[in-house]
Amino acid sequence: MSISPTRGTVPATADVVIIGGGVMGASVAFHLAEAGVRRIVVVERAELASGSSGKPIGGVRAQFSDPLNIELGSRSLRAYQDFPRRPGADIRLDTVGYLFLLTDERQVADFERSVAVQNALGVPSRVIGPAEARQLCPYVTTDRVLAAVHSPQDGHARPGLVVHGYATAAARAGVTFATGTTVTGMDTTGDRVTAVHTDRGTISCATVVCAAGAWSAGIGDMAGVGLPVRPVRRQLAFTAPCAAPRIPFTIDFSSSAYFHNSDDGLLLGLADPGQPDGFDTTWTPEWLELFRERARLLAPELADMEIAGGWAGLYEVTPDHNALIGRSTEVANFLYATGFSGHGFLQAPAVGEIVRDLHLEREPCVDITPFGADRFTSGAETRPEAHVV
């Protein structure tokens, strides 16, 4: 790959500067380069996949409540299935399905409506009973489960392998990856960004793409573009090696507690509702008690499993838990793909295509107008995503 040397300088000019070397930045770079765009520079303050995309395993699904999220998830699932051919990398995709456990009547009714929308868009999800949920995931006890929703085409893959798969192919096509490089400011003239300043030089550019994840609000501020993204820590843990059966990516919807296979054991996670905003990624094992408390009710065997270690990363959260994708209405050559609220990895292939088309001024595969960043200030109707983990 064309990675700028640690002590080198960035290219003086570029057609496109992409800020962020995670899965979104790498996908955008690959799709632009594949379409023939040249002089692309990806600026990453650390190493590729060192931010939110560094998580050990990422879920991939099309089970959402919003039709736009369903379409982005479905299109990306197909791209991940085709990843060994295009761009050409093994991402350890495991199509085990997603299993949502539902524990109250309102959840069941809401998911029944969502399944109808998903089915109309070609997603083979279905509502199942507690007994079938236990057959799919033997850890589950059915005392509190009223129903579950399962889609066999969902699963999980390795985000780091996806980032490097996209980046390797993009570098072969001439993309420059400037790692260890921090964006320090931008120059604007009229309604356009004319240069991106970094700690290793200034890049004059024609287009800027913000794919900076949890750090996007600060990048937007440099260009005068409001990107309402806040960072929130999420933690997970790995069990010691155990003879775990192959199970779906299983989620207790009420608490967000989830678990699935991971190498020679299980991965456990839960979103702490009391977690304050911030960039702290320290792993604190104390949060595990939240998971264990819920597991005792729905999957008791998991509550006492030996823990071998853990990991903490950042969600990039927006007010309605939907992404920010589009072109700035104030700064015409500033594009953004951020704020995915936990859905970025699973939507990255489709979003890479969309940003490519926005840059080339082509009609994207889906209408992403509802995901414009100005929806929170323009009075536009928001459509909160209900299936947030």
Side-chain angles (χ1 to χ4, degrees):
M1 274 187 289
S2 176
I3 306 294
S4 293
T6 303
R7 298 185 185 280
T9 57
V10 293
T13 61
D15 289 333
V16 181
V17 173
I18 300 169
I19 302 172
V23 69
M24 207 57 63
S27 175
V28 171
F30 166 77
H31 286 94
L32 285 171
E34 184 186 51
V37 178
R38 296 295 174 253
R39 300 200 308 162
I40 301 169
V41 179
V42 178
V43 180
E44 165 56 46
R45 66 192 187 106
E47 299 300 321
L48 298 183
S50 61
S52 300
S53 297
K55 57 190 176 185
I57 293 181
V60 289
R61 62 177 166 118
Q63 285 195 71
F64 288 95
S65 63
D66 188 286
L68 185 47
N69 283 325
I70 295 168
E71 291 188 78
L72 293 176
S74 293
R75 193 174 186 89
S76 295
L77 273 175
R78 293 192 294 272
Y80 282 139
Q81 290 161 359
D82 194 40
F83 215 88
R85 184 190 68 83
R86 170 182 175 265
D90 177 15
I91 58 172
R92 296 181 65 182
L93 176 64
D94 197 357
T95 307
V96 293
Y98 256 66
L99 181 68
F100 283 94
L101 305 177
L102 311 178
T103 54
D104 71 50
E105 294 289 356
R106 181 174 178 179
Q107 289 175 5
V108 176
D110 288 345
F111 271 78
E112 285 175 341
R113 286 190 290 271
S114 295
V115 164
V117 177
Q118 293 161 16
N119 292 169
L121 292 171
V123 176
S125 55
R126 61 193 182 94
V127 179
I128 61 176
E132 188 172 353
R134 180 170 171 78
Q135 286 180 339
L136 289 167
C137 183
Y139 291 110
V140 174
T141 58
T142 57
D143 297 352
R144 296 172 181 267
V145 176
L146 299 183
V149 175
H150 179 246
S151 184
Q153 290 183 353
D154 299 339
H156 47 75
R158 304 295 170 124
L161 296 179
V162 171
V163 173
H164 287 284
Y166 273 143
T168 299
R172 283 198 300 264
V175 175
T176 297
F177 288 84
T179 57
T181 305
T182 300
V183 174
T184 58
M186 296 184 203
D187 290 340
T188 57
T189 301
D191 67 345
R192 303 184 70 81
V193 176
T194 55
V196 174
H197 297 286
T198 78
D199 59 356
R200 287 171 48 210
T202 297
I203 312 170
S204 297
C205 58
T207 298
V208 174
V209 179
C210 176
W215 295 265
S216 293
I219 297 298
D221 288 344
M222 293 178 186
V225 177
L227 297 175
V229 176
R230 57 188 180 88
V232 182
R233 179 172 60 174
R234 290 286 182 263
Q235 302 194 66
L236 52 80
F238 301 96
T239 69
C242 60
R246 187 168 181 261
I247 59 173
F249 193 128
T250 303
I251 302 167
D252 167 38
F253 188 68
S254 291
S255 67
S256 84
Y258 65 88
F259 54 94
H260 55 73
N261 300 102
S262 176
D263 296 328
D264 54 1
L266 294 173
L267 182 152
L268 318 174
L270 177 142
D272 179 355
Q275 181 65 51
D277 295 357
F279 290 98
D280 180 16
T281 55
T282 305
W283 186 64
T284 56
E286 294 79 17
W287 73 269
L288 264 167
E289 189 50 42
L290 292 171
F291 178 90
R292 290 184 173 121
E293 182 181 340
R294 189 62 180 177
R296 291 184 186 102
L297 301 177
L298 294 175
E301 188 177 343
L302 302 183
D304 300 316
M305 281 191 169
E306 180 185 353
I307 300 301
W311 183 89
L314 297 175
Y315 266 24
E316 43 180 291
V317 181
T318 65
D320 63 0
H321 296 280
N322 273 319
L324 310 176
I325 308 170
R327 179 187 297 276
S328 169
T329 54
E330 299 94 2
V331 182
N333 64 338
F334 186 96
L335 309 180
Y336 50 85
T338 185
F340 288 89
S341 304
H343 310 143
F345 173 63
L346 66 89
Q347 295 183 344
V351 175
E353 296 179 33
I354 290 168
V355 175
R356 171 202 64 198
D357 292 340
L358 291 174
H359 173 69
L360 297 174
E361 298 185 347
R362 305 193 309 209
E363 193 72 27
C365 57
V366 294
D367 178 13
I368 46 83
T369 303
F371 285 174
D374 59 355
R375 66 183 182 269
F376 302 107
T377 57
S378 66
E381 181 181 357
T382 58
R383 35 205 274 182
E385 173 57 49
H387 296 180
V388 176
V389 180

